Amino acid sequence: MSPALKSIAPNLWTAERPFKLPLILGDIGTRMTIVKLADGGLFLHSPVPLDAGTKAALDEIGAVRAIVAPSKAHHLFAGDYVKEYPGARLYGAPGLPDKRRDLKFDAILSDTTPPEWHGQIEQHLFRGAPFLNEAVFFHAPTRSIIFTDLVFNVAARDASRARVFNWLTGAAGHFGPHRLIRRAISDRKAARESVEKILRWDFDRVIVTHGDVLDAGGRNSVRAAFSYL
């Protein structure tokens, strides 16, 4: 397996890359999650920059079928994958078609699972945070839940990589929504209902886009992280 991808469970990989914020905010890193579907096609969550190594690694494990921009904040590299994989379908969070008029979205994410991954990946559009409109995903075969920005898991040891960002947000050394995400949750009642729905899923692993993957104890950690609502 190419070092461009990391296998974390059967038919489940991640691609971890640097992601430098503007000015002096630092490198918060980013992660794409790849699921191989029953038909052999690949589901890509929150694409990272596409380079030759990443493309070769993806092509080695399957054909890209679904490119998912899971929130209004995670869409920067989706267009590169659309160009490289014209047969794939592009899915975006509500609001992205207005924000990215240069992209043609095949479908908008909601609580309804598209046919491409029906019965394999469940999803829920998190309520109460319209600034993000983040869709959360659950891969039942590996008991893995996939968050984008609603949950960070930046280890305290990595705080210096984005010292200013972590000072502003309090993200380092903390699992869950950081200070700015909490402020972005404008309707706590709706958010609580979303958390309750998410906690009905039988997950153990939590994959985040920023920070470390939590390999076990995920449900209790998510419950605790949102207990302030």
Side-chain angles (χ1 to χ4, degrees):
M1 171 57 60
S2 166
L5 302 184
K6 179 181 179 181
S7 175
I8 60 174
N11 296 319
L12 184 66
W13 298 262
T14 60
E16 302 171 12
R17 303 289 184 270
F19 185 70
K20 293 183 178 180
L21 295 171
L23 303 175
I24 60 170
L25 292 176
D27 178 6
I28 62 170
T30 190
R31 174 180 289 106
M32 174 170 66
T33 303
I34 304 102
V35 178
K36 188 169 186 176
L37 302 171
D39 66 357
L42 302 182
F43 165 102
L44 309 184
H45 173 278
S46 190
V48 295
L50 181 61
D51 55 25
T54 302
K55 183 181 186 308
L58 291 172
D59 293 346
E60 181 182 339
I61 61 174
V64 174
R65 294 278 187 262
I67 302 161
V68 179
S71 79
K72 288 166 68 176
H74 275 254
H75 54 83
L76 292 179
F77 309 110
D80 296 336
Y81 288 77
V82 171
K83 291 177 183 175
E84 193 64 45
Y85 299 102
R89 290 173 59 82
L90 176 62
Y91 296 84
L96 270 185
D98 290 333
K99 189 172 184 178
R100 291 296 306 271
R101 295 183 180 276
D102 58 314
L103 296 177
K104 181 184 180 299
F105 290 88
D106 295 290
I108 303 303
L109 297 167
S110 67
D111 286 354
T112 302
T113 305
E116 284 84 350
W117 58 85
H118 183 73
Q120 301 171 71
I121 303 172
E122 297 180 44
Q123 64 193 61
H124 172 62
L125 186 63
F126 194 91
R127 307 298 199 267
F131 177 78
L132 292 174
N133 275 350
E134 179 174 327
V136 183
F137 296 87
F138 170 54
H139 184 231
T142 60
R143 299 183 65 208
S144 301
I145 194 171
I146 309 170
F147 282 103
T148 310
D149 285 328
L150 285 166
V151 172
F152 273 52
N153 191 30
V154 178
R157 68 177 182 275
D158 295 328
S160 61
R161 297 179 184 175
R163 194 181 305 276
V164 175
F165 174 84
N166 287 313
W167 175 75
L168 288 171
T169 64
H174 169 72
F175 176 93
H178 60 65
R179 189 177 298 130
L180 299 185
I181 297 300
R182 290 186 181 208
R183 291 179 180 175
I185 296 176
S186 54
D187 185 338
R188 288 195 173 193
K189 180 178 183 295
R192 283 197 302 270
E193 292 172 354
S194 280
V195 172
E196 289 170 2
K197 180 177 178 63
I198 287 167
L199 288 173
R200 294 189 195 109
W201 289 335
D202 181 26
F203 64 93
D204 194 34
R205 179 185 292 107
V206 180
I207 302 174
V208 297
T209 303
H210 305 291
D212 296 335
V213 172
L214 184 66
D215 286 316
R219 290 185 77 255
N220 288 337
S221 295
V222 169
R223 181 183 290 108
F226 288 97
S227 62
Y228 77 95
L229 289 172

